[in-house]
Amino acid sequence: MKAARSKTPRKPVLKKSSNTNLKDPVGVYCRVRPLSVQDQECCIEVISETTVQIHPPDGYRIFRNGEYRETQYTFKEVFGTLVTQKALFDVVARPLVEDLIRGKNGLLFTYGVTGSGKTHTMTGSPGDGGLLPRCLDMIFNSIGPFQAKRFVFKLDDKNGVDVQCEVDALLERQKRDAMPIPKTPSGKRQIDPEFADMISVRDHYKVEEVEEDNVYSVFVSYIEIYNNYIYDLLEEVPFDPIKPKWNSCNTPVRNGDFIPPQSKVLREDQNHNMYVIGCTEVEVKSTEEAFEVFWRGQKKRRIANTQLNRESSRSHSVFMIKLAQAPLDADGDNVLQEREQITLSQLSLVDLAGSERTNRTKAEGNRLREAGNINQSLMTLRTCIEVLRENQMYGTNKMVPYRDSKLTHLFKNYFDGEGKVRMVVCVNPKAEDYEESLQVMRFAEMTQEVEVARPVDKPLCGLTPGRRFRNQAFKDELSRRLEIRGGPIGGETEEQSVTEMLLQNFPPLPSCELLDVNDDQTLPRLIEVLEKRHRMRQMLSEEFTKNVLAFKTMLQEFDSSIVSKENYAQGKLTEKEKMIAGQKMEIERLEKKTKTLEYKIEILEKTTTIYEEDKRNLQQELESKSQKLQRQASDKRRLEARLQGMVTETTMKWEKECERRVAAKQLEMQNKLWVKDEKLKQLKAIVTEPKNEKPERPSREKDREKTFQRSVSPPPAPTAPPVRLRHRRSRSAGERWVDHKPPSNVPTETVMQPHVPHAITVAAANEKALAKCDKYMLTHQELASDGEIETKLIKGDVYRTRGGGQAVQFTDIETLKQESPTGRKRRSSTSSPAPPEDAAESEWTDVETRCSVAVEMRAGSSLGPGYQHHAQPKRRKP
């Protein structure tokens, strides 16, 4: 027993047809009930036929950190507030009834918060029946003329059904009629006015194609699951085990005759279907009788008044409709007694209790315990759906916790076995139910992803179709032939009546009364009449004898013809029997061959499955290796491109660096040569000048002019011509430049201006201009510390990147600056300050001092010539 309880047994896979591998998702539908108050705030809106949108009510985001999000949920179909019960039935329940009559199982349940209209959807209201009465009406409209008599089908206590013979069924009916409770026929049943309007469905629903050679019987049962216990609502016992009877003194009454109802137990039959042991199952023959049974159980169902619903269901109710059907025999008269030919299908209509929050319902005591059990069973249902979804989507094999709740345990065969499952999600659009409706929507969306095996079509019985009507036609023809054959008897009756009429026309007998002894007329007259009658009787006897002889002759001829026909028929029958025997042998041979081929096919299928699995594994391995090789090749190409780019970049970098160093070395050597030339000139002047003459100190203006000329652009050789003061040509003038001058720059009035010939002047750097050039220069202006405008020329080299674009590497900066002459500060490239005026006389009189000054006042800054230049400032206008 422990091993059996550890895991729910699964239904074995039947190999009846190829449909066993096909699965259909659970059909989930949404129905929005109308608001009870017209101006009430609404949080659910129907967007389309398949989509609803739910949004938080006003003020809700104040309590949720300002979050405000509208969410849309999609269903198989959405029914708005104006939908009719007929439209809902046609889409949701009608296909389930059609499958029930075709021998397939179905499950339909309503789900939602308390007060969302689940019971109204299932049961309906006066004048507008719900899904349940419409299902019953459609069933009996379809099988009405083909129903079996009562007790022909008999349900056993193991969820099976048997067929009784006519004698046993008749005894059962007599026993039922002898019961003290009167059982009126369904045709004469007086309908209870309390529910008469619910079952008076004007729409005549009917299944189009019904198997006419079968007989049907309908059995109904009604149970409820209360506090995770199963109770039979049709059991004829007092049904209030929790609340005792109370008298006028408000004290409980001890009733010794009170027998509380016993909870029922679930069991699993041989087909792994769950059923309730000892549950009352009533055979019904009409919609009225079936709904009367339902209504009798509905009165016993537990309901209570809560803050959210005046009649809130405190239990899950399950109304089960079982349809037993079996084919007629070859003659079309009686039901086949073979149990294998009986089909038992079931449609379960479930009205779930609504989930609720106790802080809103203000439940206490029993109501609080009921709400806890309701929420726990619904949570178990949600957990089972989640595990089923995970197993189907991700291929896991987790155990589904069906046994945690009686509700899920009862219907586990629908999810693990075969049958359609449909759910109607009922929602109340009022703002107070927003959070509960949100949870319901999420559960419904998850349920749609669960798939259930498609029902398998029932096997054919193999008998000739149309037996019922053929047998009826044969009976009608036989009665007609008997009537025709009974014609001569009727003719003899007519002839006999004619003979009687002739006898009545015989001469009447005269009066035989002798009143006088001398009367000699009465006797002769009587004798004469009797002689006439005797002669007529002889004539009739002779005629009758002739007719008898003729009839005997006709009978003998007829017998001889019948014998000859019988002999002919016997010969034909013998030939047919031989042919049938040969065909039977051929059929047996073909059946053996078929079995052999089926066995071979099964072996080939298994082999094919193994090969396909190997092929799939090899393909997966090949794909993984191909992807790995592709990734490696891609990584290799990427690495090669990266290394190539790095090599190219490094090569260009070192080439530029070598060029820069060579240029710097050349400039350094030129500077040294120039310095040496200057020293030689000064030494020559000192040596050649007369000693008694004092050297004149150059004026400050000439010194500034010389210094200015050397600092601006030193000549590469002592004999180089002076530099033009208007334009300074860049040392890279032979290359193509991009001259980037931002529009925000302020024009300066300096004498020296940067000028690059054949340059592309742009206001903003762009890829098109960079692609045409190999040098880049940016003119940048900023305010110096002394308040003057300082212009920087930032230069760089243009490189092509591996991605096909261009990149700029800055290599040089030139600075142009204006300064005020009032500061008397020399802004030359030398780092040593200018000597004061009073010390100039003494410094220039000494040879060593003049030589050292000539050495230190080299052109350009410490970075080398060409890297930093200063323009002669121009006085500003006051």
Side-chain angles (χ1 to χ4, degrees):
M1 293 298 292
K2 291 183 179 179
R5 289 181 181 178
S6 63
K7 187 174 182 180
T8 303
R10 293 183 175 273
K11 186 173 182 179
V13 180
L14 302 176
K15 295 186 177 180
K16 294 182 181 179
S17 66
S18 60
N19 291 340
T20 53
N21 296 327
L22 301 179
K23 291 186 176 183
D24 295 321
V26 176
V28 181
Y29 303 84
C30 179
R31 184 179 190 182
V32 183
R33 67 161 292 176
L35 292 171
S36 55
V37 181
Q38 187 160 358
D39 296 334
Q40 195 172 8
E41 185 181 0
C42 178
C43 66
I44 296 178
E45 181 183 358
V46 179
I47 301 298
S48 64
E49 294 181 355
T50 58
T51 308
V52 295
Q53 178 174 287
I54 180 169
H55 56 82
D58 295 339
Y60 178 80
R61 60 176 180 173
I62 297 176
F63 304 99
R64 291 295 183 271
N65 300 325
E67 294 181 1
Y68 187 90
R69 183 177 61 180
E70 295 179 348
T71 311
Q72 292 186 359
Y73 295 93
T74 303
F75 300 91
K76 194 169 185 179
E77 191 162 342
V78 176
F79 301 94
T81 57
L82 302 178
V83 71
T84 61
Q85 298 277 38
K86 178 183 181 301
L88 183 67
F89 172 80
D90 288 339
V91 176
V92 178
R94 185 165 187 162
L96 296 179
V97 177
E98 293 176 351
D99 286 347
L100 176 71
I101 295 177
R102 295 188 178 96
K104 302 174 184 178
N105 297 333
L107 171 64
L108 171 63
F109 60 97
T110 56
Y111 181 82
V113 301
T114 181
S116 58
K118 301 183 297 299
T119 304
H120 172 75
T121 299
M122 187 62 69
T123 307
S125 58
D128 192 14
L131 299 179
L132 190 147
R134 292 176 187 270
C135 288
L136 293 173
D137 187 65
M138 183 175 181
I139 291 171
F140 287 105
N141 287 340
S142 303
I143 67 170
F146 312 120
Q147 290 192 73
K149 295 181 180 179
R150 288 185 188 272
F151 304 109
V152 171
F153 291 96
K154 186 176 181 180
L155 299 178
D156 56 18
D157 57 350
K158 296 181 180 180
N159 203 30
V161 62
D162 293 320
V163 177
Q164 297 191 120
C165 62
E166 284 292 335
V167 177
D168 294 338
L170 180 60
L171 291 175
E172 291 279 352
R173 288 195 293 271
Q174 290 176 354
K175 188 187 298 183
R176 176 178 176 273
D177 294 337
M179 292 175 65
I181 301 175
K183 303 290 183 181
T184 58
S186 60
K188 300 178 181 180
R189 184 178 299 277
Q190 187 68 28
I191 303 176
D192 190 347
E194 188 175 3
F195 61 83
D197 292 339
M198 293 186 183
I199 60 175
S200 59
V201 182
R202 298 178 182 177
D203 306 308
H204 190 73
Y205 299 105
K206 187 176 181 181
V207 178
E208 296 298 331
E209 298 179 0
V210 181
E211 186 61 45
E212 299 171 346
D213 293 324
N214 288 0
V215 290
Y216 303 86
S217 284
V218 179
F219 299 86
V220 296
S221 57
Y222 198 18
I223 63 171
E224 74 169 352
I225 303 175
Y226 176 74
N227 287 339
N228 208 25
Y229 290 99
I230 299 176
Y231 295 101
D232 185 3
L233 293 176
L234 303 180
E235 194 173 11
E236 296 295 337
V237 292
F239 205 77
D240 197 3
I242 296 176
K243 290 184 178 180
K245 303 298 180 182
W246 299 83
N247 57 16
S248 59
C249 300
N250 202 20
T251 57
V253 177
R254 301 288 183 181
N255 186 3
D257 298 333
F258 179 76
I259 303 174
Q262 299 295 320
S263 63
K264 304 299 179 181
V265 182
L266 287 176
R267 286 288 181 269
E268 192 173 23
D269 63 8
Q270 60 181 0
N271 295 324
H272 303 285
N273 295 323
M274 303 306 299
Y275 68 98
V276 182
I277 293 181
C279 179
T280 305
E281 294 177 312
V282 183
E283 185 177 7
V284 291
K285 294 297 178 184
S286 65
T287 305
E288 294 80 7
E289 186 180 359
F291 199 80
E292 182 181 353
V293 173
F294 165 76
W295 199 254
R296 189 168 71 244
Q298 186 74 359
K299 291 180 179 179
K300 298 179 181 180
R301 189 183 176 190
R302 291 175 174 84
I303 59 174
N305 185 7
T306 64
Q307 293 288 333
L308 300 181
N309 193 357
R310 187 170 57 86
E311 294 183 357
S312 176
S313 302
R314 313 309 298 166
S315 62
H316 310 299
S317 67
V318 183
F319 187 74
M320 291 178 282
I321 306 171
K322 289 185 178 180
L323 181 65
Q325 53 181 309
L328 294 171
D329 57 9
D331 296 331
D333 285 334
N334 301 316
V335 184
L336 278 178
Q337 300 294 318
E338 299 177 7
R339 189 165 185 174
E340 293 78 11
Q341 297 292 338
I342 304 173
T343 303
L344 184 64
S345 53
Q346 177 176 319
L347 174 61
S348 300
L349 305 175
V350 186
D351 182 13
L352 296 177
S355 59
E356 59 187 33
R357 293 192 176 185
T358 55
N359 58 353
R360 293 187 60 201
T361 58
K362 308 299 181 184
E364 297 178 354
N366 289 334
R367 299 289 87 82
L368 183 61
R369 183 162 61 95
E370 292 167 357
N373 286 309
I374 290 171
N375 293 336
Q376 181 61 35
S377 61
L378 294 177
M379 184 60 67
T380 304
L381 176 62
R382 181 171 187 146
T383 304
C384 293
I385 294 294
E386 288 178 352
V387 176
L388 278 172
R389 171 176 167 270
E390 184 177 352
N391 288 344
Q392 293 177 2
M393 292 184 66
Y394 304 110
T396 58
N397 194 20
K398 292 184 179 180
M399 187 183 73
V400 185
Y402 291 118
R403 294 179 182 268
D404 291 352
S405 172
K406 291 292 196 312
L407 177 67
T408 54
H409 196 194
L410 178 61
F411 296 114
K412 82 172 190 65
N413 55 284
Y414 284 98
F415 294 99
D416 283 345
E418 298 173 352
K420 281 187 179 178
V421 180
R422 296 200 169 182
M423 179 174 71
V424 180
V425 177
C426 300
V427 292
N428 194 338
K430 65 180 182 179
E432 290 81 0
D433 289 347
Y434 168 72
E435 292 190 1
E436 290 85 348
S437 299
L438 198 62
Q439 297 297 327
V440 168
M441 293 291 185
R442 291 172 181 170
F443 171 69
E445 189 177 42
M446 179 181 58
T447 305
Q448 294 182 106
E449 299 177 0
V450 176
E451 294 183 343
V452 181
R454 186 176 297 177
V456 181
D457 296 330
K458 63 179 181 180
L460 299 175
C461 64
L463 298 175
T464 307
R467 303 183 298 280
R468 181 193 295 271
F469 292 107
R470 191 178 293 110
N471 182 43
Q472 187 64 35
F474 173 75
K475 288 181 179 179
D476 295 341
E477 182 67 17
L478 182 62
S479 60
R480 190 179 67 82
R481 292 285 182 90
L482 289 176
E483 275 186 34
I484 294 174
R485 188 168 292 180
I489 300 175
E492 290 176 1
T493 305
E494 291 179 1
E495 290 178 1
Q496 187 175 1
S497 62
V498 171
T499 306
E500 290 178 356
M501 291 175 63
L502 290 174
L503 291 175
Q504 290 176 2
N505 290 331
F506 281 170
L509 292 176
S511 176
C512 298
E513 185 179 1
L514 295 175
L515 299 176
D516 191 2
V517 179
N518 298 322
D519 189 1
D520 54 356
Q521 294 181 356
T522 302
L523 292 176
R525 196 182 303 122
L526 180 60
I527 292 170
E528 183 180 0
V529 172
L530 291 174
E531 287 178 350
K532 287 183 179 179
R533 284 177 172 260
H534 181 66
R535 285 195 296 272
M536 293 183 68
R537 183 178 179 183
Q538 286 181 349
M539 290 173 61
L540 292 173
S541 297
E542 291 176 357
E543 186 177 356
F544 180 73
T545 304
K546 289 179 181 179
N547 290 334
V548 167
L549 292 174
F551 187 68
K552 285 182 178 180
T553 305
M554 290 174 62
L555 285 177
Q556 290 175 358
E557 292 176 355
F558 186 68
D559 288 339
S560 62
S561 64
I562 287 175
V563 170
S564 61
K565 288 181 179 179
E566 284 182 353
N567 293 332
Y568 178 77
Q570 189 67 29
K572 288 289 184 182
L573 184 61
T574 305
E575 293 178 0
K576 294 292 183 183
E577 286 179 352
K578 292 180 180 179
M579 186 183 298
I580 290 172
Q583 290 179 352
K584 283 183 178 180
M585 294 176 63
E586 182 68 18
I587 289 172
E588 290 177 357
R589 186 183 66 81
L590 292 175
E591 285 180 351
K592 291 180 181 179
K593 186 176 180 180
T594 303
K595 289 181 180 179
T596 306
L597 292 176
E598 286 179 352
Y599 179 71
K600 292 181 179 179
I601 289 171
E602 187 175 357
I603 294 175
L604 290 174
E605 285 179 351
K606 291 180 180 179
T607 309
T608 305
T609 304
I610 295 171
Y611 285 157
E612 287 180 352
E613 186 68 25
D614 294 341
K615 179 182 176 183
R616 189 159 47 251
N617 294 334
L618 292 173
Q619 285 180 349
Q620 291 178 356
E621 186 178 356
L622 180 61
E623 289 177 359
S624 62
K625 290 186 176 180
S626 300
Q627 292 176 359
K628 186 176 180 181
L629 288 174
Q630 290 178 0
R631 286 196 299 269
Q632 291 178 354
S634 178
D635 294 341
K636 184 179 178 181
R637 288 193 299 271
R638 194 182 304 112
L639 185 59
E640 288 177 353
R642 183 179 178 184
L643 291 175
Q644 188 68 26
M646 291 176 64
V647 169
T648 306
E649 184 178 353
T650 306
T651 304
M652 294 178 67
K653 181 178 179 181
W654 281 108
E655 287 178 355
K656 296 289 184 181
E657 182 66 21
C658 290
E659 291 177 359
R660 188 185 67 80
R661 290 184 180 181
V662 168
K665 197 67 175 175
Q666 288 177 355
L667 290 174
E668 185 180 357
M669 297 303 293
Q670 289 175 2
N671 287 335
K672 287 181 179 181
L673 289 175
W674 182 79
V675 169
K676 287 181 179 180
D677 291 340
E678 287 291 326
K679 284 183 179 181
L680 290 175
K681 284 181 182 180
Q682 291 181 6
L683 288 174
K684 182 179 180 181
I686 292 170
V687 170
T688 57
E689 70 180 3
K691 294 183 180 180
N692 55 357
E693 294 181 3
K694 184 179 180 180
E696 293 183 2
R697 186 176 59 86
S699 64
R700 192 176 299 275
E701 293 179 0
K702 291 182 179 180
D703 183 50
R704 183 163 56 242
E705 182 178 353
K706 291 178 182 180
T707 306
F708 174 74
Q709 291 175 357
R710 285 197 303 270
S711 63
V712 171
S713 179
T719 59
V723 180
R724 293 176 60 188
L725 297 179
R726 285 295 180 181
H727 296 285
R728 183 184 63 82
R729 182 177 178 85
S730 172
R731 67 185 180 89
S732 302
E735 299 170 340
R736 193 73 182 273
W737 286 77
V738 175
D739 190 2
H740 181 187
K741 293 184 178 180
S744 60
N745 287 354
V746 178
T748 60
E749 299 178 356
T750 57
V751 176
M752 297 185 67
Q753 293 288 340
H755 176 71
V756 180
H758 307 292
I760 300 175
T761 304
V762 294
N766 57 72
E767 185 178 357
K768 185 176 179 181
L770 291 173
K772 297 178 180 180
C773 303
D774 50 4
K775 293 289 184 177
Y776 172 81
M777 182 176 70
L778 170 64
T779 304
H780 173 66
Q781 289 183 346
E782 62 182 12
L783 196 64
S785 60
D786 55 357
E788 298 294 337
I789 296 177
E790 185 178 65
T791 304
K792 291 185 178 181
L793 304 179
I794 305 172
K795 297 186 291 183
D797 297 328
V798 180
Y799 297 101
R800 294 187 181 275
T801 62
R802 286 173 293 178
Q806 286 78 27
V808 177
Q809 182 177 3
F810 295 103
T811 60
D812 197 359
I813 299 177
E814 293 185 8
T815 305
L816 302 177
K817 184 178 179 184
Q818 278 181 281
E819 64 180 12
S820 176
T822 57
R824 314 283 302 174
K825 196 185 277 189
R826 273 189 84 161
R827 189 62 178 171
S828 64
S829 59
T830 178
S831 58
S832 60
E837 293 183 4
D838 54 357
E841 261 327 295
S842 61
E843 288 179 356
W844 280 96
T845 58
D846 189 14
V847 177
E848 294 181 0
T849 304
R850 293 176 62 185
C851 292
S852 63
V853 169
V855 171
E856 290 178 358
M857 293 180 61
R858 58 186 180 273
S861 66
S862 60
L863 297 174
Y867 282 81
Q868 184 171 357
H869 302 274
H870 300 279
Q872 180 69 23
K874 184 179 181 182
R875 294 184 181 181
R876 296 186 180 182
K877 294 180 182 181

